[in-house]
């Protein structure tokens, strides 16, 4: 499937401010970036660096005093089947690659250690992909999606207690539950086809059978069409924009569409 992405960020700065952007779609085996462009007005030149964990890349810029606009456009070919986690096995801990290890530990927003008693009592007899599916299903069924119900300080524990949140809260809680059973889980920022209203979306990738697999406990968009941007321990690592100073949003728009491409073209009989 071919996906078109358009992003406009329009922000105001009261003084020159360092800004770190994570907007570019990652080049990965199951998603091919066919073309992309990132243009910045009201800021200095871009300095590009690796995104981390071999996924994507980020860009530094220095926003000038006043208005900064960032425009990103991309065409991405996504070739990912719908994930069936049920038959997948938990990878033995000693087999985990070095770069996967950080994702079995608690983090600022994913307090996995505090969920161990809950996980042990509520998901008895399950392991591997079956366990992950059960946990994601529990989050989907027990947490209400309520826009504006959380903020940048809300953690997985806060979401669990309030039983409501937005996509980043669903992802934090899902990752924390999975890590509580010593299965690596990381947060992922994505462009999601069909998300309503359109926005940046946060989901989870879980390490099973020696590979990463996408999980979205919100159920708001099809996982098989998502375009991954960045990965990290929690929302701190995957923010689309981090301003090291004061910033005010004028407007923000994200548009993700399905395009007619080679993989979608009609085939002869």
């Amino acid at each position: 499937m071919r996906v078109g992405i358009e992003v406009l960020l329009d922000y105001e700065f009261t003084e020159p401010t360092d800004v770190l952007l994570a907007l570019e779609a990652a080049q990965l085996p199951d998603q091919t970036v066919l073309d992309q462009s990132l243009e910045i007005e009201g800021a200095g030149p871009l300095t590009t660096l690796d995104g981390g964990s071999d996924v994507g890349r980020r860009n530094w810029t220095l926003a000038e005093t006043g208005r900064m606009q960032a425009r990103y456009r991309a065409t991405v070919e996504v070739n990912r089947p719908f994930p069936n986690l049920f038959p997948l096995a938990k990878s033995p801990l000693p087999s985990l690659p070095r770069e996967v290890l950080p994702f079995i530990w608690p983090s600022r927003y994913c307090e996995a250690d505090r969920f161990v008693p809950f996980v042990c009592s509520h998901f008895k007899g399950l392991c591997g992909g079956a366990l992950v599916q059960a946990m994601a299903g529990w989050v989907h069924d027990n947490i209400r999606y309520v826009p504006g119900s959380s903020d940048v300080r809300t953690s997985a524990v806060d979401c669990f207690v309030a039983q409501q949140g937005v996509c980043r809260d669903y992802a934090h809680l899902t990752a924390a539950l999975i890590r509580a059973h010593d299965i690596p889980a990381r947060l992922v920022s994505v462009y999601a086809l069909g998300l309503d209203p359109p926005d940046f979306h946060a989901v989870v990738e879980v390490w099973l059978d020696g590979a990463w697999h996408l999980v979205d406990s919100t159920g708001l968009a099809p996982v098989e069409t998502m375009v991954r941007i960045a990965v990290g321990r929690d929302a701190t690592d995957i923010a689309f924009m981090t301003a090291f100073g004061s910033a005010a949003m004028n407007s923000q728009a994200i548009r993700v569409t399905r395009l007619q491409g080679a993989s979608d073209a009609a085939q002869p009989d």
Side-chain angles (χ1 to χ4, degrees):
M1 177 181 295
R2 190 162 292 184
V3 176
I5 300 163
E6 297 176 71
V7 178
L8 171 62
L9 305 182
D10 189 338
Y11 281 76
E12 203 80 25
F13 294 87
T14 57
E15 60 183 359
T17 302
D18 287 314
V19 175
L20 182 61
L21 298 170
L23 299 175
E24 295 180 302
Q27 192 77 258
L28 296 166
D30 60 357
Q31 59 182 56
T32 302
V33 180
L34 301 177
D35 60 71
Q36 64 178 343
S37 65
L38 176 58
E39 300 174 351
I40 308 290
E41 296 179 11
L46 296 174
T47 301
T48 301
L49 66 157
D50 290 340
S53 297
D54 296 324
V55 176
R57 62 185 188 181
R58 293 175 168 86
N59 292 280
W60 281 106
T61 190
L62 179 63
E64 301 166 359
T65 301
R67 190 178 190 182
M68 185 198 82
Q69 290 187 325
R71 290 181 174 84
Y72 175 67
R73 295 179 178 85
T75 303
V76 183
E77 191 79 41
V78 182
N79 183 21
R80 181 186 312 119
F82 181 82
N84 179 18
L85 303 182
F86 190 84
L88 302 180
K90 174 183 176 181
S91 297
L93 292 179
S95 73
L96 298 180
R98 179 185 56 80
E99 63 272 15
V100 175
L101 281 175
F103 303 111
I104 63 173
W105 297 322
S107 63
R108 177 181 177 184
Y109 294 106
C110 299
E111 311 100 312
D113 51 324
R114 298 186 61 181
F115 288 99
V116 172
F118 174 78
V119 167
C120 291
S121 63
H122 279 72
F123 302 99
K124 293 180 180 179
L126 296 175
C127 61
L131 174 64
V132 170
Q133 284 190 328
M135 289 175 174
W138 186 93
V139 174
H140 179 272
D141 294 342
N142 290 274
I143 304 300
R144 292 183 299 120
Y145 193 94
V146 181
S149 61
S150 64
D151 57 33
V152 296
R153 299 168 295 180
T154 304
S155 72
V157 169
D158 297 326
C159 176
F160 182 82
V161 172
Q163 296 189 336
Q164 62 183 13
V166 294
C167 65
R168 59 169 267 162
D169 305 305
Y170 277 68
H172 282 152
L173 181 53
T174 303
L177 294 177
I178 295 170
R179 292 181 198 172
H181 210 277
D182 299 325
I183 297 174
R186 65 189 186 186
L187 256 69
V188 190
S189 58
V190 302
Y191 294 113
L193 184 66
L195 188 66
D196 186 23
D199 203 346
F200 295 101
H201 194 41
V203 297
V204 171
E205 276 190 319
V206 58
W207 183 267
L208 293 169
D209 261 353
W212 291 109
H213 305 272
L214 282 169
V215 179
D216 182 9
S217 52
T218 71
L220 293 176
V223 171
E224 62 273 21
T225 65
M226 291 179 181
V227 176
R228 303 203 283 303
I229 307 168
V231 302
R233 298 161 300 170
D234 51 40
T236 305
D237 295 339
I238 65 170
F240 64 87
M241 187 181 86
T242 304
F244 293 83
S246 178
M249 183 179 72
N250 295 322
S251 64
Q252 181 172 296
I254 295 92
R255 184 168 181 257
V256 183
T257 56
R258 180 172 181 172
L259 304 177
Q260 183 72 20
S263 60
D264 301 312
Q267 299 297 317
D269 295 332

